[in-house]
């Protein structure tokens, strides 16, 4: 029982980081309907960024969290303005090819630069844990989860209370309406993609403290992000976090009780079940 | 059949025959390396045709065709290694296995109105699910792989799909040419028209009496079955199978590139795409070797860049544009 | 004459809104029957239920002596109901000819025969010159005619036309009216939704007026168009 509880708590904490990554996809996919098939690749870039900053400059991930997120925002903004913008509204397979091309470039670029080996960040507290009764919780996971939660909350507030955030939501709800009332849709889309990538930048940085950076993670993360967004419900920010936690826990339990290599099998099974029984996702609006 | 031939136009006929004649005669002059490249071209043209049937004609995006490829490959290979059942018989078991999987995915997706990206994700989910399953399936060697021994009796005979490159060359050529003719035939049959209607507008298709579920299921049946045959070829050509390779999403992606680059929904698109992509990849590798750079990633980076460029500049694919240049008909979607 | 189509107590609700409520009428074989009513009256919804594109919440639809409510739209089409869409739905990337060939393939398994039917229908609708053009490149009036052509090619017993004359110039309207009259003379039963009153009075032998989802009048054009309730709720509003 105590062990199960331990596993679940670890899963919840990891799941929050997954959730933040998926949140980025939810924003991009939910607002622009662009299937960002390079999502996991961007996540892994962020992991490497955190790794390099730590190794070379000794900066801890939690310190570089915001700078990396900001840099990713800029990258996302520029990417949308240049490469992706012509593909908004185009057929899915065309977007898919574009982003798979981008993903291929990223993964192999990373392989070329860093090689296939996994790169861990060894923080002074990497192996510390908090003990609460019979619970032992990894310190890094707690920090990562708190960080993820904070960034997600900030994004939530942004969408709720700022003019730009409201305008982006308007674009997602009714594009023609938004254009008619004079919103600069192109600009808003660029900001949206920027925000999506900022989430990814933050999530990757946090992820680097609990998983070792390696190019081979990229594709799995892309699928993970899509799985979470669909399970949680497209267009629901809370849904992305809930989906992340759900997948985090399912992975942790399957990894512990069955086999680590089979953990994502359960995620995919969950995805199939949700697609069939509740295609709008757990917290999504009815389609 | 006579119909497609009739509609091909004089130039088209000539070009088709010429190409076939050249390809049939190629082994007389080609070395092993060139043959191996051409085998890959045919293989990708063949799989491209299979996938294009579902996506290009019936309009359903599958990103999980590795499932049918892998099931085909594993079924035939396991039948041979475990029971000594040869591939010419095994293929007739591999086809229904993959077809059943395809029908199940299709049924689930289309009965429950899962469309577009969601359908694509459903197909990925099934392929990945199966990949992990096979990673733990002991009878087929789990993640350690399944190997076709080269020295068990009869394994080098053509009737067991063993032998030199010539066998695989002609086999792949027949597959690719056969698939192209099949697709051309289907395209101008009532079924082909129905697929186009379903792709273009499902609701309007219904209004003219087309059972869209049925039409999509038939497309899936053809597509999955053809892919399974490609899987059997894959298994006996490479002679080793790993779930992490054959069921990988990378496989699914690789087999859809040729039709998309060549031209979705066209008959020659998959062929043209394969003729562009495979030699390009090979020459890049050769170039890297010549330059003494040992960086396999560079080829893939270039590949990725090329995908981005082509899809940005020629979203309809290369073939419609090329056909117009060459003054050929039949480039129509 | 026997009724080809009988609708009884047909109803449809969208959440709270009663789009169609308890509507009933008969369309006799060989008739041209018109449904009129202000925007949002529920005309298209009624059509969608008859054509099987939308399930009904209550009521029955009988076509050629057979209950067809609960059928899918492809099944309705197979039984002989052809339809057009108010917001046109061509197969955009296909040629005009292929669009119509697909319709014709409902009744034949031979593509050549289907081509024959298509060229007949396209000639009838003055579209034959455009047959190799891609449907998405057509002008709106041509697309409306393509809708009719595709539906006709399925050789329907009953043709449902949803505002095929909206947005056409008067000469084009007259042309379609003439075509429809010819088709009707050749035995086709037509049920049409139309705002263009000129066309309605020229064609219809019976008119049904729908208002807020309910039938407020039905009868011969003369009788209906003099009905005070109709004038108040529909024609009056139009006249303004
Ligand atoms: N799919 C739907 N979901 C919700 N409401 C709908 C739907 N279709 C129609 N409605 C509503 O039902 C009512 C009837 O619509 P319908 O399209 O049948 O009207 P109509 O008589 O065809 O109007 P028009 O002359 O403008 O074509 C309208 O209030 C419309 O908003
Ligand atoms: Mg209407």
């Amino acid at each position: 029982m105590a062990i199960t509880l331990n596993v679940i708590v670890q899963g919840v904490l990891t799941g929050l980081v997954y959730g933040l990554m998926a949140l980025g996809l939810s924003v991009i996919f939910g607002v622009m309907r662009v299937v960002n098939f390079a999502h996991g690749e961007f996540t892994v870039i962020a992991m490497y960024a955190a790794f390099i900053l730590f190794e070379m400059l000794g900066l801890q991930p939690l310190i570089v969290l915001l700078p990396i997120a900001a840099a990713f925002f800029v990258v996302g903004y520029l990417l949308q303005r240049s490469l992706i913008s012509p593909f908004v509204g185009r057929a899915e397979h065309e977007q898919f090819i574009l982003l798979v091309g981008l993903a291929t470039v990223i993964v192999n670029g990373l392989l070329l630069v860093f090689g296939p080996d996994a790169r861990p960040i060894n923080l002074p507290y990497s192996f510390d844990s908090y003990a609460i009764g019979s619970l032992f919780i990894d310190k890094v996971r707690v920090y990562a989860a708190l960080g993820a939660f904070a960034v997600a909350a900030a994004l939530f507030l942004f969408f709720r209370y700022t003019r730009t955030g409201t305008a982006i939501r308007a674009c997602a709800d009714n594009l023609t309406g938004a254009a008619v009332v004079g919103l600069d849709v192109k600009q808003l889309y660029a900001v949206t993609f920027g925000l999506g990538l900022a989430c990814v930048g933050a999530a990757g940085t946090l992820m680097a403290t609990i998983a070792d950076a390696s190019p081979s993670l990229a594709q799995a993360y892309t699928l993970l992000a899509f799985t979470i967004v669909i399970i949680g419900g497209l267009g629901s920010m809370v849904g992305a976090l809930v989906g992340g936690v759900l997948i985090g826990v399912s992975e942790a339990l399957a990894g512990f009780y069955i086999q680590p290599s089979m953990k994502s099998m359960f995620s995919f099974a969950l995805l199939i079940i949700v697609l069939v029984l509740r295609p709008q996702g757990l917290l999504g609006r009815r389609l | 059949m006579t119909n497609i031939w009739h509609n091909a136009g004089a130039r088209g006929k000539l070009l088709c025959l010429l190409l076939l004649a050249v390809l049939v005669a190629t082994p007389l002059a080609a070395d092993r390396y060139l043959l191996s490249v051409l085998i890959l071209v045919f293989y990708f043209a063949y799989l491209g045709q299979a996938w294009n049937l579902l996506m290009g004609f019936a309009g359903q995006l599958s990103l999980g065709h590795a499932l049918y490829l892998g099931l085909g490959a594993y079924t035939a290979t396991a039948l041979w290694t475990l029971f000594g059942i040869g591939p010419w018989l095994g293929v007739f078991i591999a086809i229904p296995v993959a077809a059943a999987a395809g029908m199940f995915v299709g049924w689930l997706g289309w009965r429950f109105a899962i469309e577009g990206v969601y359908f694509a994700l459903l197909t990925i989910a099934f392929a990945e699910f199966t990949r992990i399953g096979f990673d733990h399936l002991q009878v087929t060697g789990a993640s350690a792989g399944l190997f076709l021994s080269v020295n068990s009796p009869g394994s080098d005979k053509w009737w067991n799909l063993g032998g030199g490159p010539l066998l695989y060359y002609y086999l792949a050529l027949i597959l690719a040419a056969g698939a192209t003719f099949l697709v051309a035939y289907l395209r101008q049959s009532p079924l082909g028209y129905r697929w186009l209607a379903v792709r273009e507008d499902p609701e309007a298709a219904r209004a003219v009496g087309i059972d869209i579920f049925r039409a999509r299921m038939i497309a899936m049946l053809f597509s999955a079955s053809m892919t399974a045959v490609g899987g059997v070829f894959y298994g006996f050509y490479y002679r080793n199978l790993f779930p992490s390779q054959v069921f990988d999403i990378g496989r699914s992606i690789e087999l859809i590139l040729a039709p998309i680059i060549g031209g979705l929904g066209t008959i020659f698109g998959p062929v043209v795409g394969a003729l562009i992509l495979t030699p390009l990849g090979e020459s890049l590798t050769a170039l890297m070797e010549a330059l003494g750079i040992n960086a396999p990633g560079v080829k893939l980076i270039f590949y990725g860049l090329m995908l981005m460029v082509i899809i940005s500049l020629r979203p309809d694919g290369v073939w419609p544009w090329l056909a117009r240049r060459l003054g050929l008909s039949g480039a129509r979607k | 004459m026997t009724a080809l189509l009988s609708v009884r107590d047909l109803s449809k609700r969208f959440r709270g809104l009663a789009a169609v409520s308890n509507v009933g009428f008969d369309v006799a074989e060989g008739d041209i029957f018109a449904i009129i009513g202000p925007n949002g009256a529920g005309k298209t919804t009624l059509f969608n239920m008859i054509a099987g594109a939308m399930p009904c919440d209550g009521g029955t639809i009988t076509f050629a002596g057979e209950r067809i409510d609960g059928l899918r739209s492809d099944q309705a089409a197979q039984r002989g109901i052809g339809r057009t869409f108010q917001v046109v739905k061509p197969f955009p990337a296909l040629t005009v000819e292929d669009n119509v060939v697909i319709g014709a393939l409902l009744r034949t398994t031979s593509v050549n025969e289907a081509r024959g039917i298509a060229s007949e229908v396209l000639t009838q609708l003055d579209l034959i010159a455009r047959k190799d053009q891609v449907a998405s490149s057509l002008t709106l009036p041509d697309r409306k005619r393509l809708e009719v052509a595709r539906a006709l090619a399925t050789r329907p017993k009953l043709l449902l036309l949803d505002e095929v004359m909206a947005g056409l110039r008067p000469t084009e309207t007259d042309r379609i009216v003439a075509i429809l009259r010819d088709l009707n003379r050749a035995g086709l039963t037509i049920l049409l939704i139309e705002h263009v009153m000129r066309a309605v009075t020229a064609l219809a032998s019976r008119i049904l007026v729908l208002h807020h989802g309910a039938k407020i009048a039905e009868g011969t054009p003369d009788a209906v168009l003099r009905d005070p309730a109709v004038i108040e709720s529909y024609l009056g509003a139009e006249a303004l």
Side-chain angles (χ1 to χ4, degrees):
Chain A
M1 196 55 222
I3 293 181
T4 309
L5 200 62
N6 255 316
V7 172
I8 289 178
V9 170
Q10 306 274 28
V12 169
L13 297 175
T14 313
L16 278 167
V17 183
Y18 286 170
L20 178 61
M21 174 178 76
L23 194 55
L25 185 68
S26 181
V27 168
I28 292 170
F29 189 36
V31 174
M32 295 184 282
R33 290 279 156 173
V34 167
V35 283
N36 183 16
F37 254 91
H39 206 73
E41 282 71 10
F42 284 113
T43 308
V44 174
I45 295 184
M47 292 174 79
Y48 275 109
F51 169 77
I52 293 174
L53 289 171
F54 179 72
E55 287 290 307
M56 314 237 313
L57 305 175
L59 296 170
Q60 292 205 1
L62 285 176
I63 293 165
V64 297
L65 180 71
L66 290 180
I68 290 184
F72 267 63
F73 175 87
V74 175
V75 170
Y77 183 92
L78 295 176
L79 213 58
Q80 171 67 25
R81 278 262 131 152
S82 54
L83 189 67
I84 296 167
S85 177
F87 282 80
V88 173
R90 292 250 295 262
E92 283 135 9
H93 68 269
E94 292 178 14
Q95 299 177 356
F96 172 76
I97 290 291
L98 179 79
L99 287 153
V100 161
L102 185 60
T104 311
V105 172
I106 293 175
V107 166
N108 291 288
L110 289 174
L111 263 173
L112 209 61
V113 179
F114 298 101
D117 299 337
R119 305 296 179 117
I121 295 184
N122 292 312
L123 293 167
Y125 53 88
S126 270
F127 299 100
D128 296 354
S129 52
Y130 296 110
I132 306 168
S134 60
L135 274 182
F136 289 89
I137 308 166
D138 300 343
K139 216 167 174 175
V140 278
R141 259 178 238 276
V142 173
Y143 288 172
L146 285 176
F149 195 78
V151 175
L155 194 71
F156 186 77
L157 294 176
F158 171 83
F159 275 118
R160 179 109 289 179
Y161 294 109
T162 65
R163 285 183 67 93
T164 315
T166 317
I168 291 175
R169 282 193 293 143
C171 287
D173 278 347
N174 183 346
L175 184 56
T176 27
V180 167
V181 299
L183 294 177
D184 182 352
V185 174
K186 279 209 154 139
Q187 168 75 5
L188 289 172
Y189 275 1
V191 172
T192 306
F193 208 94
L195 286 172
L197 278 204
C199 282
V200 168
T205 309
L206 297 169
M207 200 84 91
T209 64
I210 55 178
D212 304 345
S214 131
S216 63
L217 286 175
Q219 203 158 58
Y221 280 163
T222 299
L223 291 182
L224 192 69
F226 272 97
T227 304
I228 291 171
V229 166
I230 288 187
I231 289 179
L234 190 62
S236 160
M237 300 187 62
V238 182
L241 290 186
V242 170
V245 168
L246 210 63
I247 290 295
V249 171
S250 134
E251 277 195 351
L253 285 175
F256 187 79
Y257 284 105
I258 300 166
Q259 253 189 60
S261 58
M262 285 178 95
K263 63 184 185 185
S264 48
M265 209 169 168
F266 291 86
S267 316
F268 288 118
L270 213 58
L271 172 64
I272 293 169
I273 292 169
V274 167
L275 275 175
V276 169
L277 297 183
R278 208 180 149 82
Q280 76 273 31
L282 297 180
L283 296 181
R285 283 168 289 184
R286 266 220 97 78
L287 293 176
Chain B
M1 274 325 252
T2 50
N3 227 336
I4 0 170
W5 191 238
H6 187 75
N7 294 339
R11 262 175 177 216
K13 281 176 207 170
L14 198 70
L15 233 80
C16 247
L17 285 180
L18 208 69
L19 185 68
L20 259 179
V22 168
L23 291 176
V24 169
T26 300
L28 293 175
D31 61 356
R32 259 188 108 91
Y33 173 70
L34 184 60
L35 283 190
S36 72
V37 175
L38 283 173
I39 289 172
L40 276 184
V41 171
F42 301 151
Y43 166 78
F44 282 119
Y46 173 78
L47 290 179
Q49 294 290 15
W51 181 81
N52 194 35
L53 211 65
L54 187 61
M55 174 64 200
F57 293 116
Q60 299 299 304
L61 178 58
S62 163
L63 297 180
H65 258 48
L67 175 60
Y68 319 122
L69 187 82
L71 285 177
Y74 262 100
T75 306
T77 314
L79 283 173
W80 170 240
T81 51
L82 298 178
F83 307 109
I85 297 173
W88 292 98
L89 190 59
V91 72
F92 291 101
I93 301 166
I95 289 173
V97 168
M103 304 306 271
F104 183 65
V105 174
W107 174 80
L108 213 57
W110 299 318
R111 265 289 173 257
F112 290 86
I114 302 169
E115 314 225 341
V117 191
Y118 292 81
F119 182 73
L121 285 165
L122 185 75
T123 61
I124 296 181
F126 271 102
E128 286 288 293
F129 187 87
T130 313
R131 171 179 66 78
I132 302 169
F134 269 82
D135 256 334
H136 297 88
L137 192 66
Q138 294 307 327
V139 267
T140 55
S143 57
L146 183 63
F147 297 87
L148 283 179
S149 116
V150 271
N151 31 19
S152 68
S155 69
D156 60 340
K157 298 295 190 294
W158 68 268
W159 58 86
N160 290 326
L161 280 193
L166 265 189
L167 171 78
Y168 296 110
Y169 178 86
Y170 282 114
L171 206 60
L173 177 58
I174 289 169
L175 282 178
T180 306
F181 279 112
L182 177 66
V183 168
Y185 170 74
L186 289 171
R187 162 65 180 82
Q188 52 81 60
S189 72
L191 187 57
Y193 277 99
R194 267 179 226 132
W195 284 336
L196 297 186
V198 171
R199 176 192 79 191
E200 291 291 306
D201 192 321
E203 209 185 327
R206 271 212 162 114
V208 293
I210 297 171
D211 182 343
I212 60 174
F213 176 73
R214 202 179 133 87
R216 285 170 175 169
M217 288 295 266
I218 296 174
M220 179 60 107
L221 184 67
F222 273 103
S223 189
S225 304
M226 287 168 72
T227 308
V229 176
V232 177
F233 179 85
Y234 176 102
F236 281 79
Y237 181 55
Y238 288 109
R239 307 194 84 75
N240 58 59
L241 286 177
F242 299 94
S244 60
Q245 282 179 11
V246 69
F247 285 108
D248 187 55
I249 183 173
R251 272 287 104 69
S252 297
I253 291 171
E254 153 190 290
L255 71 84
I256 77 175
L257 296 179
I260 290 180
I261 299 296
L264 211 59
T266 63
I267 290 161
F268 289 102
V271 179
V272 172
L275 275 170
I276 296 172
L277 279 177
T278 313
L280 190 84
E282 291 303 319
S283 33
L284 269 170
T285 314
L287 184 72
M288 286 298 147
E289 268 169 21
L291 293 175
I293 304 171
N294 179 24
V298 176
K299 169 183 138 185
L300 287 167
I301 290 176
F302 190 81
Y303 231 78
L305 285 173
M306 215 192 74
L307 281 182
M308 291 161 69
V309 169
I310 289 189
I311 204 67
S312 293
L313 301 181
R314 289 256 103 77
D316 285 336
V318 174
W319 171 242
W321 168 82
L322 192 70
R324 244 175 287 130
R325 286 273 150 133
L326 297 174
L328 297 172
S329 61
R332 237 163 43 197
K333 253 197 161 175
Chain C
M1 276 232 185
T2 55
L4 179 64
L5 178 77
S6 297
V7 173
R8 293 284 171 272
D9 288 325
L10 205 61
S11 297
K12 178 81 194 175
R13 303 185 71 83
F14 292 115
R15 298 198 192 91
L17 177 86
V20 173
S21 33
N22 300 313
V23 171
F25 59 93
D26 286 319
V27 179
E29 194 149 2
D31 242 4
I32 297 185
F33 192 106
I35 297 175
I36 63 172
N39 290 108
K43 305 179 296 289
T44 299
T45 308
L46 184 62
F47 253 38
N48 280 336
M49 288 189 286
I50 296 171
M54 227 177 231
C56 48
D57 293 341
T60 62
I61 308 166
T62 313
F63 177 70
E66 199 187 349
R67 281 280 293 273
I68 59 161
D69 44 279
L71 292 190
R72 295 191 312 264
S73 55
D74 52 296
Q75 295 168 319
Q78 278 162 8
R79 281 170 177 65
I81 296 181
R83 74 165 296 182
T84 66
F85 291 92
Q86 181 177 0
V87 180
V88 291
K89 283 179 168 293
F91 302 124
L94 308 185
T95 62
V96 168
E97 184 185 26
D98 283 353
N99 265 268
V100 183
V101 164
I102 288 169
L105 281 169
L106 179 60
R107 300 286 173 231
T108 168
T109 49
S110 149
V111 173
N112 282 332
E113 209 178 310
R115 284 229 175 78
I117 298 173
S119 93
E120 220 174 275
V121 173
L122 286 172
T123 310
Q124 208 166 13
L125 284 158
D126 306 328
L127 276 172
I128 195 76
R130 307 231 179 286
K131 82 176 168 66
D132 292 323
Q133 220 169 304
V134 174
S136 59
S137 70
L138 292 181
T139 59
L140 185 65
D142 282 346
R143 282 190 217 196
K144 293 235 163 183
R145 264 185 295 191
L146 178 58
E147 285 279 311
V148 180
R150 191 177 59 192
L152 272 179
T154 67
R155 295 285 184 242
K157 293 187 198 126
L158 172 69
L159 181 62
L160 307 180
L161 301 172
D162 196 346
E163 297 198 22
V164 285
M165 292 177 234
L168 299 195
R169 284 193 299 269
T171 47
E172 291 166 332
T173 306
D174 291 344
R175 180 71 196 129
I176 297 249
V177 165
I179 293 169
L180 293 180
R181 199 176 278 140
D182 285 347
L183 288 166
N184 179 244
R185 275 204 202 104
L188 181 68
T189 311
I190 297 174
L191 178 58
L192 61 95
I193 292 174
E194 203 50 71
H195 278 302
V196 181
M197 286 313 291
R198 219 153 65 91
V200 173
T201 47
L203 285 170
S205 48
R206 284 186 81 74
I207 297 180
L208 182 152
V209 188
L210 215 55
H211 188 54
H212 289 311
K215 175 166 103 174
I216 58 167
E218 187 194 339
T220 60
D222 283 349
V224 165
L225 299 180
R226 268 187 278 111
D227 188 324
V230 175
I231 293 170
E232 190 188 333
S233 68
Y234 180 55
L235 299 172
E238 288 284 291
L240 290 176

